Amino acid sequence: MNNTFKIIVLAGAFVSFILGAGTATGQEILQFFVSHGYYGIGAIVIAAVLHMWFGAYAMDIGLRLKADDSKAVFIYFCGKYLGTFFYWFSQLFILVVFVVMISGAGATVSEYFGTGIITGRAIMAILVLTTALLRLETIIKILGIAGPIIVIFAVIVGAGSFDPAGFSQANEIVKELDLSSATKYWWQSGFVYSSFVLLVALPFLANLGKDEVRRKNVIIGGGLGGLIMLIGVFAIYIGILSNIEKLHTKDIPTLFLADQISSALAFFFSIILLIAIYTTAVGMLWTVSIQFSKDNTLKYRIITITLTVLGFFGGLFPFAKIIDLVYPIVGYIGLILMVGMLYRQFINKGKIGNQAYDMLNITKKTGK
């Protein structure tokens, strides 16, 4: 595999992870960027720059640290105590994302197929639980291709729905509408959006960089991934903003846009969206269950069933409300992690290698 192809693979994996089912529904983009009108473009630029930075930096640290346990990465950036906190907090947030996926499945099925929201959530919860219990790794890997596909379709739907006339009037319309906004100021959205993504993505990115051998590849791959993210989010943003008066009350804005283009496209997009939600939900459930079960099969099953039940009832809350309530709070907390990374990169680089592992071993021995 030549270096150019490796860079493309790294960038593609990064984009597939961050621009998946949650962002592709359009709800995050609506609350973080569209709610600020034209200023949302500035917020997207801030988010893209931050994604390019932490994508490249996290992969680079993963390459140099070669961490088998993602806790070592958090400890390297934030020290023993704060790093351990962020490690467990990220596990909790991953579980919250699982709840969001269950809720999003109900919203998608209800909005397009016209059934009750509980139906979609119940079906998704059962499918996810069955897959997680059977540990069908091959199926998950095959269905993982939904990530890049949904990115492509989201961009097609967003750009294809762009209405110049609607866009020219959108800023005034946004001011009149009572839109839920993740942050008070547009520039805050760029930082908060990036920091909540960072909390979930850091272990993934570090692991992605761990298997690479050339620093140049991970740095360019991370930067390219952030740039592609900018293009994808911007395409969805202009599609939603130019049609904001029609869809501001929709839970799945991109599904509405797809239906405006073609009913066939909307049907296909709804299926792709559900598959993406399914693969994301299984991954999130699996990650948390394995972390707490420590390879104990009986404990794994009990935890998986318990978390699925909690996810189902948590998913009964409105999809848009969960994002509006949880994501900004997590984003503000994640800013501390981002500051820790900046401190490590530019002020106190510390030592790559045994330092993080020494602290990790001490943590394990003391049981803290």
Side-chain angles (χ1 to χ4, degrees):
M1 189 185 296
N2 62 47
N3 291 323
T4 300
F5 187 70
K6 285 183 179 180
I7 290 171
I8 294 173
V9 169
L10 289 171
F14 180 19
V15 172
S16 295
F17 188 84
I18 63 173
L19 196 60
T23 304
T25 61
Q27 189 56 236
E28 291 173 12
I29 296 173
L30 177 61
Q31 295 192 27
F32 278 92
F33 305 119
V34 175
S35 61
H36 296 291
Y38 297 152
Y39 286 111
I41 297 175
I44 291 174
V45 172
I46 291 174
V49 170
L50 290 173
H51 276 67
M52 291 170 70
W53 163 68
F54 77 66
Y57 186 41
M59 285 190 205
D60 183 37
I61 292 299
L63 181 152
R64 292 189 283 156
L65 195 60
K66 299 294 182 185
D68 293 321
D69 190 329
S70 61
K71 185 184 287 188
V73 179
F74 285 99
I75 288 176
Y76 173 76
F77 287 130
C78 299
K80 175 185 172 182
Y81 297 106
L82 194 55
T84 300
F85 164 76
F86 273 119
Y87 170 73
W88 287 109
F89 185 77
S90 70
Q91 298 298 314
L92 177 62
F93 184 49
I94 287 172
L95 180 58
V96 171
V97 175
F98 169 67
V99 172
V100 171
M101 292 300 103
I102 298 297
S103 181
T108 301
V109 172
S110 175
E111 197 155 300
Y112 186 77
F113 297 99
T115 61
I117 55 175
I118 294 179
T119 302
R121 290 168 184 170
I123 293 173
M124 183 61 68
I126 292 171
L127 287 174
V128 169
L129 175 61
T130 302
T131 307
L133 287 176
L134 295 176
R135 303 192 182 198
L136 301 178
E137 298 181 42
T138 304
I139 292 178
I140 298 304
K141 288 177 181 178
I142 293 173
L143 292 179
I145 197 173
I149 292 176
I150 195 172
V151 170
I152 294 171
F153 268 84
V155 171
I156 291 173
V157 167
S161 302
F162 177 66
D163 176 15
F167 191 81
S168 66
Q169 302 172 6
N171 211 44
E172 294 303 317
I173 295 174
V174 166
K175 293 177 182 178
E176 297 173 0
L177 297 173
D178 185 24
L179 296 178
S180 293
S181 182
T183 62
K184 185 176 181 180
Y185 302 106
W186 65 269
W187 55 269
Q188 289 178 328
S189 282
F191 287 99
V192 173
Y193 179 78
S194 297
S195 60
F196 91 72
V197 171
L198 173 62
L199 266 172
V200 177
L202 181 57
F204 171 79
L205 292 171
N207 188 61
L208 203 60
K210 182 183 69 175
D211 298 324
E212 184 51 59
V213 294
R214 297 183 78 245
R215 291 187 66 190
K216 184 178 179 181
N217 288 355
V218 296
I219 292 172
I220 297 177
L224 181 61
L227 179 61
I228 295 173
M229 172 267 182
L230 166 65
I231 296 171
V233 169
F234 181 72
I236 300 172
Y237 163 83
I238 61 173
I240 294 176
L241 187 59
S242 61
N243 294 273
I244 188 62
E245 196 166 18
K246 301 176 185 176
L247 54 67
H248 69 278
T249 59
K250 302 293 182 182
D251 271 349
I252 315 293
T254 51
L255 193 54
F256 175 83
L257 292 178
D259 196 44
Q260 295 294 297
I261 298 173
S262 164
S263 57
L265 176 62
F267 174 77
F268 191 67
F269 185 70
S270 67
I271 299 300
I272 293 295
L273 190 57
L274 287 171
I275 292 174
I277 290 173
Y278 163 71
T279 55
T280 302
V282 171
M284 298 294 176
L285 178 60
W286 203 338
T287 298
V288 177
S289 296
I290 287 178
Q291 178 62 54
F292 286 98
S293 64
K294 303 297 182 183
D295 295 325
N296 184 309
T297 302
L298 178 59
K299 187 182 290 186
Y300 172 84
R301 291 175 178 172
I302 294 173
I303 292 173
T304 301
I305 293 171
T306 302
L307 293 180
T308 302
V309 172
L310 290 175
F312 172 76
F313 285 106
L316 293 177
F317 290 100
F319 176 57
K321 289 295 183 182
I322 297 176
I323 292 177
D324 181 40
L325 176 65
V326 177
Y327 281 24
I329 295 174
V330 173
Y332 281 114
I333 295 173
L335 287 173
I336 301 173
L337 173 60
M338 192 173 287
V339 170
M341 292 177 67
L342 287 167
Y343 176 77
R344 271 300 192 193
Q345 185 174 17
F346 298 108
I347 300 175
N348 180 13
K349 295 184 179 182
K351 296 179 180 179
I352 297 291
N354 293 332
Q355 182 190 40
Y357 280 107
D358 288 343
M359 287 188 286
L360 179 59
N361 290 329
I362 291 172
T363 301
K364 288 180 178 178
K365 289 177 181 178
T366 57
K368 296 179 181 179

